[in-house]
């Protein structure tokens, strides 16, 4: 495995684990606000992010590289309203998309076709992640200040299940 590619993948493992940490922090925040559906949704998202990190981890060893785990920053504790939480999630996913795109650029520069092929899954996944967050934001905006609406949305978000995700 090329050294620059190996270093970049190690940084991406850190970014995916950082995503997991962020979503877990959002879960804890929602839990404290009695938004149990949001908390459950965020915990599943945190698990997904760890799976994203582990896919990169596996790729490193499949291609003869070496994993070096990097430190994670402490996540935020206070996320504001339910709208603020999902807006922060969308902003974060846009950042991750730009990191995946940079990895793809590196794969092209290095003419690393296996890495290019491997990254395609992440490119598609980022489209899905951004679109999911944007859809939830649109729903929250529709609901406005309605307590009943927030209650219903929280319930709906709580119905997301980890099994369904991995079956997709
Ligand atoms: Fe790993 O996709 Fe979100 O961050």
């Amino acid at each position: 495995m090329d050294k620059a590619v190996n270093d970049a993948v190690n940084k991406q493992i850190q970014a995916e684990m950082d995503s997991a940490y962020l979503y877990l922090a959002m879960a804890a925040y929602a839990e404290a606000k009695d938004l149990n559906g949001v908390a459950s949704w965020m915990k599943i998202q945190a698990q997904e992010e760890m799976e994203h990190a582990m896919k990169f981890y596996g790729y490193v060893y499949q291609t003869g590289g070496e994993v070096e785990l990097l430190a994670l920053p402490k996540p935020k504790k206070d996320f504001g309203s339910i709208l603020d939480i999902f807006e922060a999630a969308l902003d974060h996913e846009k950042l991750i998309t730009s990191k995946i795109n940079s990895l793809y650029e590196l794969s092209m520069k290095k003419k690393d076709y296996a890495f290019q092929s491997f990254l395609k899954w992440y490119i598609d996944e980022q489209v899905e992640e951004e679109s999911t967050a944007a859809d939830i934001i649109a729903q929250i905006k529709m609901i406005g200040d309605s307590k009943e609406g927030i209650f219903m949305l929280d319930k709906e978000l709580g119905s997301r299940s980890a099994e369904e995700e991995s079956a997709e």
Side-chain angles (χ1 to χ4, degrees):
M1 187 181 214
D2 178 274
K3 168 92 172 79
V5 171
N6 196 159
D7 288 349
V9 172
N10 281 334
K11 280 201 188 119
Q12 192 62 29
I13 291 174
Q14 177 193 38
E16 300 290 348
M17 292 303 284
D18 181 51
S19 301
Y21 227 35
L22 172 71
Y23 287 120
L24 199 56
M26 287 175 172
Y29 176 78
E31 210 103 47
K33 298 258 170 220
D34 287 328
L35 290 165
N36 296 332
V38 175
S40 161
W41 193 95
M42 288 295 172
K43 278 188 276 187
I44 291 172
Q45 189 61 31
Q47 273 170 13
E48 258 200 24
E49 297 300 349
M50 283 188 261
E51 284 165 21
H52 295 173
M54 290 312 293
K55 251 178 160 20
F56 277 113
Y57 179 105
Y59 182 75
V60 170
Y61 286 111
Q62 262 182 332
T63 53
E66 202 179 328
V67 168
E68 186 186 357
L69 296 178
L70 305 169
L72 295 178
K74 185 178 190 295
K76 250 170 74 168
K77 227 180 130 193
D78 190 343
F79 294 92
S81 69
I82 183 167
L83 179 61
D84 296 331
I85 300 174
F86 281 94
E87 280 181 337
L90 178 57
D91 284 348
H92 182 77
E93 287 310 327
K94 286 183 178 164
L95 175 75
I96 296 296
T97 299
S98 74
K99 288 180 188 288
I100 298 288
N101 289 345
S102 299
L103 289 177
Y104 199 80
E105 278 160 28
L106 178 66
S107 75
M108 290 199 294
K109 198 176 127 208
K110 295 281 176 183
K111 293 189 169 44
D112 187 337
Y113 303 113
F115 191 36
Q116 266 176 45
S117 169
F118 173 78
L119 286 171
K120 287 207 170 106
W121 183 89
Y122 286 90
I123 292 169
D124 295 342
E125 177 70 9
Q126 283 312 119
V127 171
E128 200 187 299
E129 300 240 308
E130 283 192 32
S131 138
T132 303
D135 286 351
I136 297 171
I137 289 169
Q139 285 183 50
I140 299 170
K141 284 185 175 162
M142 258 187 271
I143 289 166
D145 287 334
S146 156
K147 285 213 165 75
E148 206 175 281
I150 302 275
F151 176 79
M152 294 304 287
L153 178 67
D154 185 60
K155 232 176 135 174
E156 192 195 315
L157 291 172
S159 69
R160 177 185 190 186
S161 89
E163 289 77 36
E164 277 170 33
E165 303 279 319
S166 46
E168 272 170 18

